[in-house]
């Protein structure tokens, strides 16, 4: 396996939710390749979301969870940073700007389309109006939703359809120029046409960012991703190129899952 | 009880509130007639409240002072209560650790359950002297009444605001955090706009409560028919004037009291309706 | 300003608000207990107001609140049942809901004035019945809203299952639906009882007050809350002491009933 060009790396990672005795994730090792799409699959409850939510420390909103091991983020200059060591609020904010996240249900903020996309940049301190406008436009174009929104940038984002809202959320994240984007079942609440649009979008996006996507849908994983990780009951069972996982898995359990024998 | 009877009695009970409200309005309006005919709308602008020396049944009665007193004490209460209630709601929904939420909520709700007469007692004997030594004046007056009124409506306002804020889905907040927002930014940009209807509704409902509050204010506002020239001066309010003088009044004075009660009733009816329809209009799924 | 600093400031201010709120609760409760308990004697409970005790006041206040509940609880429950089970959420139902909520927030002194006009003035004397009616009017909308809310939590399937077994609608409502919502409704009843037993304004010129023990509802009727208001304004020390004792007892009763109600639903929600 070629692991030279990593953007993130999960190493010997354990995770235990507050008030729970047993860890929900055990000794996870998972490389995230730069400018590739990595898919996480596995039956419901196996810990996919839990792992994804560790990668931008969104778990920290709820006190008492326990992390073990390392999750490294490789910076532009080749330096690596274990994000589990971040303590200061400022560092966590920076991490979340570098590692964006898209949720299962679209989450437009109760504000205009323009403000939704400009929001993260404003938080990050971008004040210049023409720069904001330029980046909003670019992000909306990158998220393939510019055409539908350019004439209604000042109307409420809540008026968009579900699929449009999800692309808006992607635009919102893209506008921050993150290094990594985490998607937690981003299409499972959408109709097939919107799903197709988002899949196309993801394939485009990987030119600029590295993508990690949790999905329920195995066709989606095989269509879309370069690498696939199969998880089961809090363990990472197998990680490899998507072709290998789907055509020629090494582990019996993976094969059983892929062929629909359980899950 | 047969099904038909059961249903009819249910229906009768349900319509009762309607008839009681109509009844209240008609009675107040009828008994206020003499005063309305005599003074009309000028009633609100006149500050004289005097029975005739020879005939107790007549005189000149104007509602300006109690109306102004009601408005000012309510205004003071709202100015103090609103930020504190918002703070408590934010604390309960976004800051407090899980184990603290329950006891703090119960404490706030108990504060709301204490009868208003107790606030009056406590305010008169413990709080008025503090106001006096800090701000001057005689202890009782607008400011004391306003502050204690604020303490009374805070829990009510905080509880409704908290409930409204609790309706914001976690994932919406998470996605704001995922953009690098701080807690305050999430509150300001996501939670507040999302629960705006409920928050404004709670403020208006609390306003309605403050306007109609009687006992706490009766102990604390000073109960004198005078226009306050400073914030610590004593004055009176509509409910307090009614509480203290309604039963002894007669003739035109009595009718003027009904007039005041009618004004209070109509104003709070209007205020609560606004809050209600705001709620209903903005109710999110 | 630095956004992290602003964030800290707001979080500190919010926490401070909560501390202030709780501070006031404890301040009030502590001064009340201190003043009240030191003024309490056994004789406070065995004497009537005329002899410097509160026996008749307690009996009077409870009598009025209980009788008001006896009227308001069935009416309010039936109204809530109509709203939830019979109205099909019609326009009329939403009008009634709104009016009932408005009535719940109507100034209590205005209700006192209304009842005075109808049930005191025509008879030429304050009377216990008038006090009961005023409290009933205060209580009905609270019970309506509780019943309405609690019934709305009962799953639709329960009603359908009942109908499927061949029950008639009103039997299913009483035997299944209301039973399922029993705990919630009981809590609501206790909370609203706690609220009306502490009311003063609607009693001031309806039942007024009575220094002596009486059960005669056609005349002035003893009231704990009205007495507190009167006693507190008397200049003599003994009256004030008694006002504190009475305030303490009243608050203890109100908070105990309130907490009991909350305790009943502690596992819910
Ligand atoms: N907040 C939580 N507290 C405790 N346990 C949780 C929490 N969230 C998820 N879990 C548990 O962690 C495991 C993994 O959940 P999750 O990561 O959501 O699974 P997936 O996304 O693969 O369906 C499950 O067993 C789930 O019950
Ligand atoms: Mg999941």
């Amino acid at each position: 396996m070629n692991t030279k060009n990593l953007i993130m790396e999960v190493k010997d990672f354990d995770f235990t939710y507050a008030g729970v005795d047993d860890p929900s994730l055990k000794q996870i090792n998972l490389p995230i390749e730069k400018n590739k799409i990595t898919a996480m699959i596995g039956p419901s409850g196996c810990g996919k979301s839990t792992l994804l939510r560790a990668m931008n420390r969104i778990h920290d909103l709820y006190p008492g969870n326990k992390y073990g091991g390392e999750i490294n983020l490789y910076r532009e200059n080749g330096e690596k940073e274990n994000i589990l060591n971040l303590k200061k609020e400022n560092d966590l904010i920076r991490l979340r700007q570098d590692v964006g996240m898209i949720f299962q249900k679209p989450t437009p903020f109760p504000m205009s389309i323009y403000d939704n996309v400009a929001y993260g940049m404003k938080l990050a301190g971008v004040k210049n109006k023409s720069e904001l406008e330029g980046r909003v436009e670019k992000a909306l174009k990158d998220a393939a939703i510019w055409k539908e929104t350019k004439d209604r940038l000042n109307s409420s984002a809540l008026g968009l359809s579900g699929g449009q809202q999800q692309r808006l959320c992607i635009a919102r994240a893209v506008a921050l120029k993150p290094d990594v984007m985490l998607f937690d079942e981003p299409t499972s609440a959408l109709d097939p046409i919107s799903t197709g649009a988002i899949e196309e979008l993801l394939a485009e996006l990987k030119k600029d960012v590295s993508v990690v996507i949790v999905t329920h849908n195995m066709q989606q994983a095989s269509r879309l991703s370069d690498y696939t990780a199969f998880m089961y009951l809090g363990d990472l069972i197998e990680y490899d190129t998507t072709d290998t996982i789907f055509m020629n898995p090494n582990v019996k359990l993976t094969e059983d899952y892929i062929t629909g024998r359980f899950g | 009880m047969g099904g038909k009877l059961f249903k009819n009695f249910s229906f009768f009970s349900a319509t009762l509130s309607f008839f009681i409200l109509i009844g209240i309005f008609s009675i107040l309006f009828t008994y206020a007639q003499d005063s309305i005919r005599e003074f009309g709308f000028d009633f609100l602008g006149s500050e004289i409240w005097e029975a005739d020396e020879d005939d107790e049944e007549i005189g000149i009665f104007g509602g300006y002072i109690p109306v102004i007193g009601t408005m000012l004490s309510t205004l003071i209460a709202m100015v103090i209560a609103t930020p504190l209630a918002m703070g408590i709601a934010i604390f309960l929904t976004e800051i407090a650790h899980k184990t603290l939420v329950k006891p703090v909520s119960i404490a706030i709700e108990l504060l709301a359950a204490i009868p208003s007469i107790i606030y009056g007692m406590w305010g008169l004997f413990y709080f008025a002297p503090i106001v006096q030594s800090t701000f001057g004046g005689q202890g009782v007056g607008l400011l004391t009444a306003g502050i204690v009124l604020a303490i009374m409506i805070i829990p009510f306002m905080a509880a409704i605001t908290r409930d409204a804020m609790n309706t914001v889905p976690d994932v919406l907040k998470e996605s704001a955090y995922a953009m690098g927002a701080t807690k305050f930014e999430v509150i300001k940009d996501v939670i507040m706009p999302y629960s705006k209807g409920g928050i404004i509704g709670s403020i208006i409902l609390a306003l309605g409560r403050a306007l109609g509050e009687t006992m706490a204010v009766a102990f604390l506002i000073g109960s004198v028919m005078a226009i306050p020239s400073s914030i610590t001066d004593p004055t009176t309010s509509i409910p307090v004037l009614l509480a203290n003088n309604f039963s002894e009044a007669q003739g035109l004075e009595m009718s003027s009291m009904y007039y005041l009660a009618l004004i209070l009733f109509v104003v709070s009816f209007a205020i609560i309706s606004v809050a209600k329809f705001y709620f209903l209009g903005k109710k999110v799924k | 300003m630095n956004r992290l600093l602003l964030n800290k400031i707001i979080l500190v201010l919010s926490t401070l608000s909560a501390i202030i709120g709780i501070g006031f609760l404890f301040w009030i409760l502590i001064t009340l207990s201190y003043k009240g308990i030191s003024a309490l004697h056994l004789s406070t409970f065995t004497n009537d107001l005329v002899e410097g005790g509160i026996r008749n006041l307690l009996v009077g206040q409870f009598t009025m609140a209980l009788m008001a509940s006896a009227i308001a609880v069935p009416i309010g429950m039936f109204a809530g049942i109509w709203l939830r089970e019979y109205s099909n959420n019609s326009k009329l139902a939403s009008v009634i809901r709104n009016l009932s909520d408005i009535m719940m927030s109507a100034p209590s002194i205005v209700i006192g004035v209304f009842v005075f006009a109808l049930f005191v003035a025509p008879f030429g004397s304050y009377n216990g019945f008038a006090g009961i009616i005023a409290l009933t009017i205060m209580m009905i909308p609270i019970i309506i809203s509780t019943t309405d809310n609690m019934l709305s939590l009962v799953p639709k399937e329960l009603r359908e299952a009942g109908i499927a077994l061949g029950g008639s609608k009103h039997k299913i409502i009483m035997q299944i639906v209301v039973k399922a919502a029993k705990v919630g409704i009981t809590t609501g009843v206790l909370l609203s009882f706690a609220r009306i037993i502490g009311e003063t304004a609607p009693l001031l010129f309806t039942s007024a007050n009575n220094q002596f023990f009486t059960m005669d509802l056609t005349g002035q009727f003893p009231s704990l809350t009205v007495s507190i208001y009167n006693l507190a304004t008397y200049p003599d020390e003994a009256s004030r002491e008694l006002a504190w004792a009475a305030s303490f007892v009243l608050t203890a009763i109100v908070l105990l009933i309130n907490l009991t109600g909350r305790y009943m639903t502690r596992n819910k929600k």
Side-chain angles (χ1 to χ4, degrees):
Chain A
M1 221 185 300
N2 169 16
T3 55
K4 260 190 246 131
N5 208 4
L6 292 186
I7 183 75
M8 282 185 103
E9 186 182 28
V10 181
K11 267 176 98 173
D12 300 331
F13 178 70
D14 296 309
F15 185 87
T16 312
Y17 277 108
V20 179
D21 292 334
D22 299 324
S24 289
L25 293 174
K26 291 157 278 186
Q27 292 294 305
I28 304 289
N29 284 286
L30 176 68
I32 307 294
E33 299 267 345
K34 204 166 178 173
N35 295 103
K36 300 281 189 235
I37 298 181
T38 305
M40 294 198 232
I41 59 170
S44 175
C46 69
K48 305 179 297 288
S49 300
T50 306
L51 178 56
L52 201 72
R53 290 161 66 87
M55 296 170 75
N56 68 349
R57 297 273 305 267
I58 202 88
H59 281 306
D60 288 44
L61 300 181
Y62 313 98
N65 302 318
K66 285 195 282 289
Y67 297 104
E70 294 175 23
I71 297 181
N72 295 313
L73 180 63
Y74 292 89
R75 296 288 177 188
E76 204 82 355
N77 54 13
E79 255 177 58
K80 81 171 180 185
E81 181 179 32
N82 180 356
I83 65 166
L84 299 185
N85 289 338
L86 300 177
K87 294 228 165 54
K88 291 207 212 89
E89 180 156 28
N90 218 356
D91 293 332
L92 287 177
I93 287 176
R94 201 167 38 81
L95 169 69
R96 287 168 194 157
Q97 287 166 348
D98 291 338
V99 181
M101 181 169 236
I102 308 295
F103 299 80
Q104 177 172 353
K105 284 228 187 84
T107 53
F109 298 142
M111 43 179 99
S112 73
I113 294 173
Y114 180 89
D115 287 337
N116 259 280
V117 182
Y119 186 66
M121 292 185 279
K122 282 186 184 157
L123 292 182
V126 180
K127 290 211 177 68
N128 185 312
K129 202 158 173 267
S130 61
E131 184 188 350
L132 276 175
E133 280 172 6
R135 283 176 68 177
V136 168
E137 179 174 341
K138 169 117 186 8
L140 287 169
K141 281 179 175 157
D142 287 347
I145 193 185
W146 173 248
K147 274 204 206 99
E148 293 134 279
T149 55
K150 66 173 191 285
D151 298 324
R152 50 196 283 206
L153 289 176
N154 290 320
S155 47
S156 167
L158 304 175
L160 297 171
S161 74
Q164 289 172 329
Q165 288 183 353
Q166 192 65 308
R167 275 180 284 148
L168 178 73
C169 293
I170 296 175
R172 195 169 68 187
V174 167
L176 283 172
K177 300 187 183 150
D179 300 323
V180 182
M181 282 177 68
L182 311 171
F183 292 82
D184 194 348
E185 304 193 22
T187 60
S188 65
L190 302 181
D191 61 274
I193 293 178
S194 307
T195 301
I198 297 220
E199 287 185 10
E200 265 174 50
L201 175 58
L202 285 175
E204 277 299 306
L205 277 179
K206 75 172 179 180
K207 290 189 200 128
D208 301 315
V209 294
S210 317
V211 172
V212 185
I213 178 171
V214 168
T215 176
H216 236 84
N217 177 329
M218 264 173 306
Q219 284 76 35
Q220 184 169 61
S222 66
R223 273 198 303 266
L224 211 55
S225 65
D226 303 294
Y227 297 93
T228 297
F230 169 60
M231 297 178 66
Y232 186 66
L233 295 180
D235 292 309
L236 195 145
I237 305 296
E238 188 172 358
Y239 166 83
D240 215 315
T241 62
T242 299
D243 287 347
T244 314
I245 293 282
F246 280 90
M247 311 295 232
N248 194 10
N250 280 317
V251 184
K252 177 79 170 44
L253 202 57
T254 313
E255 189 183 335
D256 288 351
Y257 183 69
I258 300 294
T259 53
R261 242 164 267 164
F262 71 92
Chain B
M1 202 187 322
K4 187 103 189 157
L5 192 60
F6 184 91
K7 183 176 174 180
N8 288 343
F9 188 70
S10 302
F11 181 68
F12 161 77
S13 304
T15 51
L16 204 57
S17 355
F18 175 72
F19 291 116
I20 292 175
L21 280 175
I22 297 277
I24 294 177
F25 181 84
S26 329
I27 290 284
L28 297 182
F29 190 72
T30 312
Y31 283 79
Q33 269 311 303
D34 289 347
S35 181
I36 294 175
R37 237 180 269 125
E38 184 77 24
F39 307 115
F41 279 116
D42 294 342
F43 182 74
L44 289 171
S46 155
E47 48 195 79
I48 301 166
W49 188 280
E50 254 172 26
D52 194 278
E53 274 176 29
D54 303 320
D55 185 354
E56 289 277 310
E57 294 282 323
I58 57 172
I60 299 176
F61 304 100
Y64 183 71
I65 294 172
V67 167
I68 287 294
T70 309
M71 280 166 46
L72 289 178
S73 54
T74 303
L75 180 71
I76 296 171
M78 295 305 290
V79 167
I80 299 170
T82 309
L84 283 167
M86 295 302 122
I88 292 174
I90 290 172
F91 177 80
L92 286 174
T93 50
E94 299 303 317
I95 301 177
H97 189 269
K98 262 201 304 245
T99 50
L100 264 182
V101 172
K102 197 95 191 264
V104 175
S105 293
I106 291 180
I108 298 293
E109 276 157 28
L110 287 185
L111 200 55
I114 295 177
S116 57
I117 189 156
I118 304 298
Y119 281 95
M121 274 288 281
W122 171 83
L124 180 63
F125 293 108
Y126 282 90
F127 202 70
I130 294 175
V131 174
Q132 184 174 24
S133 61
T134 320
F135 299 96
Q138 314 163 13
V140 292
L142 262 183
L143 184 62
T144 315
I147 298 176
V148 174
L149 205 45
I151 302 170
M152 286 189 62
I153 58 174
I154 282 171
F156 175 74
M157 210 195 273
I160 305 184
T161 301
R162 172 203 58 191
D163 292 346
M165 288 183 169
N166 269 334
T167 61
V168 181
D170 280 345
V171 61
L172 197 60
K173 296 185 232 168
E174 285 175 5
S175 38
Y177 285 113
M179 310 280 304
T182 61
K183 199 161 255 189
F184 169 59
E185 286 157 351
V186 173
I187 292 166
K188 170 169 69 80
D189 299 325
V190 176
I191 297 176
M192 292 283 201
Y194 189 92
S195 45
K196 193 169 57 185
I199 296 176
I200 296 177
S202 86
I203 295 175
I204 302 178
L205 283 179
L207 174 76
R209 278 223 163 164
L211 281 179
E213 173 52 37
T214 308
M215 295 323 290
V217 184
F219 275 96
L220 300 171
I221 200 166
S223 309
V224 298
M225 265 287 192
I227 298 177
S229 57
S230 96
I231 195 172
T232 50
D233 276 358
T235 180
T236 193
S237 74
I238 298 177
V240 173
L241 183 69
L242 292 174
N244 291 332
N245 303 51
F246 178 74
S247 49
E248 289 125 44
Q250 43 185 309
L252 194 55
E253 184 175 16
M254 184 68 143
S255 178
S256 300
M257 296 267 187
Y258 277 108
Y259 197 177
L260 283 174
L262 178 69
I263 292 169
L264 183 63
F265 179 68
V266 170
V267 169
S268 41
F269 191 105
I271 285 177
I272 300 152
S273 309
V274 167
K276 274 280 139 203
F277 290 113
Y278 205 93
F279 264 138
L280 289 180
K282 292 272 163 168
K283 198 161 241 171
V284 211
K285 273 150 266 177
Chain C
M1 201 195 315
N2 180 319
R3 39 194 292 246
L4 293 184
L5 185 64
L6 183 62
N7 183 49
K8 280 262 151 53
I9 293 175
I10 297 291
L11 298 192
V12 168
L13 287 179
S14 298
T15 311
L16 216 57
S17 316
I19 294 173
I20 291 174
I22 295 173
F24 273 114
L25 176 70
F26 281 103
W27 189 2
I28 294 172
L29 291 186
I30 287 169
T31 49
L32 196 60
S33 311
Y34 164 75
K35 277 292 200 175
I37 293 175
S38 63
L40 266 187
H41 310 282
L42 192 61
S43 61
T44 316
F45 292 102
T46 53
N47 286 348
D48 295 333
L49 179 58
V50 64
E51 311 137 340
I54 61 170
R55 180 184 73 132
N56 66 325
L57 306 177
L58 273 174
V59 173
Q61 193 86 9
F62 265 98
T63 305
M64 286 192 287
L66 283 172
M67 295 195 62
S69 308
I71 308 169
V73 171
I75 289 183
M77 275 183 65
F78 273 108
I81 287 173
W82 184 80
L83 285 174
R84 193 50 66 182
E85 308 292 331
Y86 285 110
S87 74
N88 297 317
N89 285 317
S90 59
K91 195 101 192 205
L92 179 62
S94 95
V95 169
I96 288 181
R97 271 197 188 101
N98 285 324
L99 287 179
S100 165
D101 285 347
I102 288 173
M103 193 167 132
M104 181 153 49
S105 309
S108 51
I109 190 87
V110 171
I111 292 173
V113 170
F114 167 67
V115 173
F116 175 90
L118 276 188
F119 298 97
V120 177
F123 303 105
S125 135
Y126 301 117
N127 61 85
F129 282 119
I132 292 169
I133 291 165
L135 294 182
T136 305
I137 294 177
M138 303 225 40
M139 198 170 183
I140 286 175
I142 317 181
I143 304 286
I144 293 181
S145 130
T146 306
T147 310
D148 190 16
N149 288 333
M150 291 306 143
L151 292 183
S152 77
L153 299 179
V154 178
K156 206 166 75 219
E157 291 75 16
L158 212 56
R159 298 178 176 84
E160 288 167 0
I163 299 279
L165 287 175
S168 65
K169 182 154 183 166
H170 75 281
K171 285 213 174 103
I172 288 161
I173 292 172
M174 285 319 276
Q175 291 164 2
I176 299 178
V177 182
V178 172
K179 229 180 200 156
K182 193 174 64 186
V183 177
I185 294 176
T186 313
T187 296
V189 168
L190 282 176
L191 293 184
S192 58
F193 184 81
R195 171 136 177 238
I196 60 157
I197 198 157
E199 279 292 345
T200 315
L203 300 179
L204 283 173
F205 29 79
T206 53
S207 64
N209 197 11
N210 197 329
Q211 300 204 338
F212 301 95
F213 188 96
T214 175
M215 276 297 181
D216 175 13
L217 287 166
T218 60
Q220 287 193 221
F221 208 67
S223 154
L224 187 64
T225 49
V226 175
S227 300
I228 293 174
Y229 185 49
N230 296 336
L231 288 168
T233 49
Y234 293 157
D236 64 301
E237 196 53 37
S239 295
R240 270 189 202 174
E241 293 267 302
L242 192 59
W244 279 114
S247 298
F248 173 74
V249 172
L250 176 69
T251 310
I253 291 170
V254 168
L255 294 189
L256 272 179
I257 298 174
N258 195 291
L259 284 171
T260 309
R262 285 174 198 289
Y263 180 77
M264 290 179 60
T265 39
R266 71 200 175 282
N267 295 327
K268 302 263 166 115
K269 197 166 98 176

